[in-house]
Amino acid sequence: MEKIKPLVLIVDDNSTNIDLLVNTLKNDYRLGVAKNGQKALDYTEKHLPDLILLDIMMPGMNGYEVCTKLKAATRTKDIPVIFITAMTETAHKTKAFEAGALDYITKPFHTAEVKARVRTHLSLKKAREHEMYIASKIQRTLLLGQQPRDINGIQIAQLTIPSQKVDGDFYDFFKLNNQCFDLVVGDVMGKGIPAALLGAAIKSHFLRVLIKLIRLNDKKEFPDPEKIISSVHSSMIDQLEDLETFVTLCYARFDMAKYLLSFVDCGHMRTIHFHADSKTCSLLRGVNMPLGFPEQEPFKQTLVSFNPGDLFVFYSDGLTEAKNQDGVLYGEKRLVDFVQKNATIEPKELINIVRKDVVAFSQSDIFDDDLTCVLVGIEKKSTSQALSDKAKLEIKNDLIELARVRAFVRNFCENITDFSLDNNRISLIELAVTEVTANIIKHAYGERTGEQIQINALLLDDKIVLQFYDWGKEFDPKSVPLPVFDGSQSGGFGLHIISHTVDEVVYSRDDKGRNCVCLKIKLIRED
Amino acid sequence: MELSTEKIGDVTVVTVQTEILDASNAEEFKTAMAPILEENNKVVFEISQIKFMDSSGCGTLLSFLRQLKSSNGNLKLCRVQEPVRMLFELVRIDRIIEIFDTKEEAVKSF
């Protein structure tokens, strides 16, 4: 297949010059012609030529203005511009370079010179493009991590829009166990292949350090984030100084067992933490300098607790420094406001609308910098858990139902996650509900049979709440004599058992004549 | 309710063959035990099969104890499962009825 020839735009108001240039270049290139500045801009916007030959002296918009405009737009700023000028004074040439030209040719020109310069600049452009291709390939394959699977109660979504100048944004995830994972989001100063390679190197340093620290630890505990960062820093500081660069990053550990985030921030963008309970955002900022700064205080981690429904937004400066046509930055405040307004949307969908908002703001889907954003959403409770969070049972006032009540409560307890609830504790809860239910069955409805008792089980924060409703006669616990423990009596133990097996018992009756016994059982989070 | 009895010397060992002893079957338990308590005054309950007991179950055991003591006998328990043991501690039955790990120890204690 024949390769498509590069497209060269000739901009000149003089037909003789145009004819001459067309004849010189027509065999080797596809050509476009514009006779004034505005037409040149229109043509460029539409066809994106590979190179522009631009006359300086033109009626209306001159060549300098055209070039300045081309260089100001993200889409066209990398197109090489060669000025064609009759002016030989140094001042004019300087002005041309200042406007963004790569080269100039003075009139009258030699066809061989024109051909040579065009060829040279096209091959340089191709080389630059190839570098960008490699850099963006490094970025896609080496710099962006795979999100961890099977972490309970967490949703992750990530977004990257590589710029034309890859600038070393990276992120990665390290899964420690089913309830714990680390996320590192960073940005290497600099652009292109060096930044991309350094980003990849840093990621592998993290892995090495993690493995080393875990192996050194006898108890097989996970090393603290601050220890990991210190170790990575000391193993990379020489390289970073040699390359005269530094790295900003945020290393965050999500512990889903404790609902705790411990993070080390090293001069990175402030992570947004959306709080589901107050519907507000706070910004997480650490106290550490970027990696690569030679004199460092010891790295310090910060602890933040979170709750179901919370959301964390990690991002690179490419996101907040995305510009609109007027050069206004997207900005941290706009991002925070946007997150706050939309935080209840699932992360996978939210990341799409973040992208749309930035693109709509900048009116372009091409950005100067890489744009990276990682969302970590703490799940409210999955659907299956939602069922077990709230359960209901209706029984008749017959003692034969006691077994069903116990099975119902046991099943509810056994489906509770995140809390430690051992078999003995469940047995005691079974005992309490048996006593409550037996009392209601034996006493509430007198001799009447076929009456109803309703039992609700709920998980509220760190408590199990069990509610027993009946529509029988009022019950006053104070009317029951205290138990005697000398073996002389067979009854009276029920209330004693209930109050000693749960954390709280409340007896109440509402205006509709409904009695309620409410048991509360405090739970302890699993370590 | 199924009960099996075994006579070791003058002690009667009753193995209670139910997993649950609560308000729903306490009366049944009483009825089944009545003839045994008529004829024996030294009784050991082997209750290893009982996984769950409530205050009604306790009350029943205490009424057996009173009946046996009134005829100069006694009641002992053996092989109590953990949930039942927790209940006994809660209502302090463990201070009133002697509990043994094995049937042999319970029998020997009379």
Side-chain angles (χ1 to χ4, degrees), chain A residues 507-525:
Chain A
Y507 297 90
S508 63
R509 183 177 171 91
D510 64 20
D511 10 302
K512 289 171 193 156
R514 186 173 67 156
N515 298 311
C516 178
V517 183
C518 182
L519 307 183
K520 290 183 186 167
I521 298 117
K522 279 191 195 134
L523 299 173
I524 299 155
R525 286 200 186 277

Side-chain angles (χ1 to χ4, degrees), chain A residues 399-400 402-403 406 424 427-428 430-431 434-435 438 442 485-491 493-494 496-497 500-501, chain B residues 20 22-24 51-56 58-60 62-63 65-66 82-83 86-87 90-93 96:
Chain A
L399 289 168
I400 204 78
L402 289 175
R406 282 195 296 272
N424 283 347
S427 294
L428 288 173
E430 277 186 297
L431 183 56
T434 302
E435 298 300 337
K442 284 196 269 190
F485 296 112
D486 61 7
S488 63
Q489 286 178 21
S490 302
F493 298 117
H496 172 82
I497 290 174
H500 286 78
T501 42
Chain B
I20 287 158
D22 66 4
S24 70
K51 289 181 188 157
F52 180 83
M53 195 186 292
D54 71 353
S55 66
S56 300
C58 293
T60 313
L62 288 173
S63 72
L65 175 73
R66 283 198 301 278
E82 188 55 30
M86 288 192 295
L87 168 71
L90 212 54
V91 298
R92 301 172 207 175
I93 276 190
I96 292 160

